[in-house]
Amino acid sequence: NFSRVTEFILLGLSDTRELQAFFFTVFILAYAMVLMGNLLIIVTVRTDPKLSSPVYFLLCNLSFIDICCTSVTSPRMLVDLLSQRKAIAFEGCIAQLFFLHFVGASEMFLLTVMAYDRYTAICKPLHYTAIMSRQTCWVLVSACWAGGFLHSVVQTLLTIQLPFCGPNKIDNYFCDVPPVIRLACTDVYVTEWLMASNSGVISLVCFVVLVTSYVFILVTVRVRFTEGHRKALSTCASHVMVVTLFFVPCIFIYLRPFSTFPSDKHICVIYTVFSPVMNPLIYTLRNNEVKASMWKLRKRCRV
């Protein structure tokens, strides 16, 4: 005898009105920066024929994923910061969980592909054009989306098969696997380890592959350092910053049993809000070609 939960209550980041107003101001500015910055990158890459190399094709896809990723959580969070009762329907919660892991895992795979692109450009420059052809890039990006979809389906199926019949308060500002499954009316020990081995292992493996690729790049640059390698190394440095902001919080959140420690919702802000904000800043401020193309685009718009 139990009734299924029909809605969840999101406790948010704080219940203090002053802090909620502060968070609303910060997050709406961050969300606007994500939208404008990444849309500007997409338009710039799509309109400038000079930015037709694989690295910019992948950057364009990363910007699109960042828009999707932050749009899964930020609009709902902004509305809740202005609301007294922060309720979300059970179906809406599951949908948010699904799309968050869909675009999140796709971004992990894409960042790994971008690291492989930089490794190929620096360590195998003579074969770069043949290895990273446009067809190969499309196949790799499609594989990233397919891998993200498969990962999200597994996470969602493991969640919806659990019985939810009692507490319905989620100690977070969005629906994610760790806080949601802790509300299940059953022992979730096995489910926790299955999910940790899914999300956590994916995060860790991708991060290890990324670090390994950077080690090979540093060794190659140390052996033969040219101006072209200096430019590529600068791109890798910005990539490392993005990777650190995105992967380290994900590994901390997902690579452990979820009931062992409370999920730190403030850490979640790093990879759902601030990491997408940093991408356009890092890739534009540290890339002269993108900045030059943006200035040309601005001049054309004035005309």
Side-chain angles (χ1 to χ4, degrees):
N1 294 327
F2 67 87
S3 58
R4 188 174 182 86
V5 169
T6 58
E7 67 177 13
F8 292 106
I9 305 298
L10 299 171
L11 299 183
L13 293 171
S14 173
D15 56 0
T16 306
R17 295 302 301 174
E18 291 76 12
L19 279 177
Q20 289 181 2
F22 171 75
F23 287 144
F24 179 83
T25 303
V26 172
F27 293 142
I28 196 171
L29 290 175
Y31 186 49
M33 290 177 63
V34 171
L35 293 180
M36 293 187 295
N38 285 293
L39 283 174
L40 180 59
I41 290 177
I42 293 174
V43 172
T44 302
V45 172
R46 297 289 294 175
T47 55
D48 193 341
K50 293 182 179 180
L51 302 180
S52 58
S53 61
V55 64
Y56 297 116
F57 173 77
L58 297 174
L59 175 59
C60 188
N61 281 275
L62 178 64
S63 295
F64 176 72
I65 289 181
D66 277 336
I67 292 174
C68 295
C69 187
T70 192
S71 295
V72 172
T73 58
S74 291
R76 175 79 204 190
M77 176 177 60
L78 293 172
V79 172
D80 286 342
L81 286 171
L82 299 177
S83 305
Q84 292 290 340
R85 189 170 184 270
K86 305 171 179 59
I88 181 171
F90 179 85
E91 293 78 10
C93 183
I94 297 300
Q96 188 180 57
L97 184 152
F98 171 82
F99 286 108
L100 177 67
H101 281 266
F102 180 23
V103 295
S106 298
E107 181 163 357
M108 288 184 183
F109 296 137
L110 183 62
L111 287 170
T112 308
V113 169
M114 293 179 71
Y116 174 72
D117 171 77
R118 291 299 83 203
Y119 162 78
T120 306
I122 296 175
C123 300
K124 300 181 179 180
L126 298 179
H127 304 283
Y128 177 70
T129 305
I131 295 175
M132 294 300 294
S133 63
R134 180 52 64 99
Q135 182 180 1
T136 301
C137 289
W138 275 110
V139 171
L140 290 174
V141 170
S142 300
C144 291
W145 283 105
F149 178 78
L150 181 61
H151 159 77
S152 185
V153 167
V154 172
Q155 296 290 91
T156 305
L157 290 177
L158 288 173
T159 302
I160 61 176
Q161 55 87 27
L162 296 172
F164 295 94
C165 55
N168 67 337
K169 293 183 179 180
I170 297 177
D171 188 19
N172 211 324
Y173 59 92
F174 65 97
C175 289
D176 197 8
V177 170
V180 169
I181 69 170
R182 281 203 298 266
L183 302 179
C185 304
T186 185
D187 183 12
V188 294
Y189 180 80
V190 176
T191 304
E192 286 178 355
W193 278 107
L194 288 173
M195 290 182 168
S197 63
N198 189 344
S199 296
V201 170
I202 287 176
S203 303
L204 182 61
V205 170
C206 289
F207 186 68
V208 170
V209 171
L210 286 162
V211 172
T212 303
S213 68
Y214 295 139
V215 170
F216 280 112
I217 289 172
L218 290 174
V219 171
T220 301
V221 170
R222 185 179 178 181
V223 173
R224 54 176 193 273
F225 194 84
T226 64
E227 187 62 30
H229 287 103
R230 184 194 299 272
K231 179 181 174 183
L233 188 60
S234 177
T235 303
C236 288
S238 61
H239 195 181
V240 170
M241 295 174 65
V242 175
V243 164
T244 303
L245 280 174
F246 186 73
F247 277 92
V248 173
C250 289
I251 293 173
F252 175 80
I253 294 295
Y254 297 110
L255 194 61
R256 56 179 169 80
F258 302 142
S259 59
T260 305
F261 304 102
S263 177
D264 194 336
K265 53 192 174 185
H266 299 95
I267 292 180
C268 295
V269 174
I270 298 176
Y271 65 86
T272 59
V273 178
F274 291 116
S275 179
V277 169
M278 294 301 295
N279 280 349
L281 293 177
I282 290 173
Y283 280 107
T284 55
L285 295 179
R286 294 182 59 85
N287 192 305
N288 292 327
E289 290 183 351
V290 175
K291 287 191 291 186
S293 297
M294 286 182 175
W295 277 109
K296 292 179 182 178
L297 179 63
R298 182 183 178 185
K299 291 180 181 179
R300 288 201 301 267
C301 292
R302 283 185 174 181
V303 175

